Amino acid sequence: MERKWPVTVGDVLLRRTLIGTTACRGCDCAQTVATTLARHLGWSEARVRAETENYQDELKRTFWEL
């Protein structure tokens, strides 16, 4: 968090760690990532839900075979 300054779930899973490029596409940990970001960035529960949904949308755009 302090060195990479991620701002979205997709930022963490697709750009900072590349977990989103693995077989599971990071779907099994997206909620945990969103919750962790919320603690550090002061997100509301609504923002956590929106970020998780936005990540799913980003996966569909990035990996069209989903």
Side-chain angles (χ1 to χ4, degrees), residues 18-48:
L18 301 180
I19 292 170
T21 63
T22 64
C24 70
R25 303 282 191 232
C27 292
D28 56 345
C29 61
Q31 181 67 40
T32 301
V33 169
T35 302
T36 301
L37 286 171
R39 279 196 313 268
H40 291 280
L41 301 176
W43 292 351
S44 66
E45 283 298 317
R47 175 76 186 265
V48 169

Side-chain angles (χ1 to χ4, degrees), residues 25 58-66:
R25 303 282 191 232
E58 186 171 2
L59 285 177
K60 290 173 187 168
R61 288 190 308 274
T62 304
F63 303 102
W64 53 269
E65 78 275 4
L66 293 178

Side-chain angles (χ1 to χ4, degrees), residues 3-29:
R3 290 184 291 175
K4 298 289 186 178
W5 292 96
V7 294
T8 67
V9 172
D11 194 22
V12 171
L13 295 176
L14 292 169
R15 289 173 285 287
R16 307 295 186 203
T17 65
L18 301 180
I19 292 170
T21 63
T22 64
C24 70
R25 303 282 191 232
C27 292
D28 56 345
C29 61

